Amino acid sequence: MNQSALIRPDWTPATIALMVLGFVVFWPLGLAMLAYIIFGERLRDFKRNANDRADGFFNGFRRSTRRYGPTATGNMAFDDWRRAETDRIEEQRRKLEEMREEFDSYLRELRRAKDQEEFDRFMRERGGRGPEGNQYPAV
């Protein structure tokens, strides 16, 4: 760290003043400043270690040549089996998607029929009169 910095994790007049001011304004700010004074030197090492771990983790993704899908394992029998299973699962997914579409259309038709029945009942109860007394056409 830059030792000429005004606010560094040490017991300097500036950090003490900020800590006291933090406690006066809002006590968690003062507590945070106190933690910075006591543990500030450890934060630099913690940050460096966290950055190194994250860089190492994400470098594994950067080295990957194929972004999506399975890669060949070298065992042809296993690769063929996996490809067949993937195709089977995709076929099941496609069938389920078709069934869902059929069910959605059935529900839409059911709602339409229910709405039509409610409208017809409303018109019968109202006597077939419009807002100005006009006769609605027969349904």
Side-chain angles (χ1 to χ4, degrees):
M1 293 208 92
N2 187 359
Q3 292 299 319
S4 65
L6 183 61
I7 300 174
R8 59 183 184 271
D10 198 7
W11 293 100
T12 63
T15 57
I16 293 171
L18 284 173
M19 180 183 64
V20 170
L21 183 67
F23 276 116
V24 169
V25 172
F26 186 58
W27 69 267
L29 292 176
L31 196 59
M33 191 63 198
L34 178 63
Y36 176 71
I37 292 170
I38 295 173
F39 301 111
E41 288 297 323
R42 295 182 195 169
L43 288 176
R44 182 176 41 177
D45 296 333
F46 175 77
K47 180 183 174 194
R48 186 181 317 115
N49 290 340
N51 285 338
D52 290 343
R53 286 182 188 163
D55 288 344
F57 178 76
F58 287 112
N59 279 339
F61 292 116
R62 290 186 194 113
R63 285 191 300 256
S64 177
T65 56
R66 277 183 75 158
R67 290 260 191 242
Y68 305 105
T71 58
T73 61
N75 185 332
M76 291 177 50
F78 176 73
D79 290 341
D80 291 341
W81 173 81
R82 182 172 56 186
R83 192 175 310 108
E85 286 297 305
T86 303
D87 293 343
R88 183 183 62 81
I89 291 170
E90 278 297 315
E91 179 65 23
Q92 285 180 346
R93 187 198 59 77
R94 187 186 59 76
K95 286 179 183 177
L96 285 173
E97 194 67 29
E98 288 174 0
M99 290 170 58
R100 186 186 62 79
E101 284 295 323
E102 290 173 9
F103 185 69
D104 287 346
S105 65
Y106 171 76
L107 284 179
R108 278 192 302 272
E109 181 60 30
L110 196 61
R111 285 186 198 116
R112 190 201 61 75
K114 181 182 174 192
D115 290 346
Q116 183 66 46
E117 188 273 327
E118 287 176 358
F119 177 74
D120 291 342
R121 182 171 36 96
F122 170 76
M123 292 304 292
R124 281 191 308 271
E125 290 172 359
R126 186 148 191 235
R129 296 282 176 207
E132 293 91 25
N134 298 336
Q135 185 75 20
Y136 278 120
V139 184

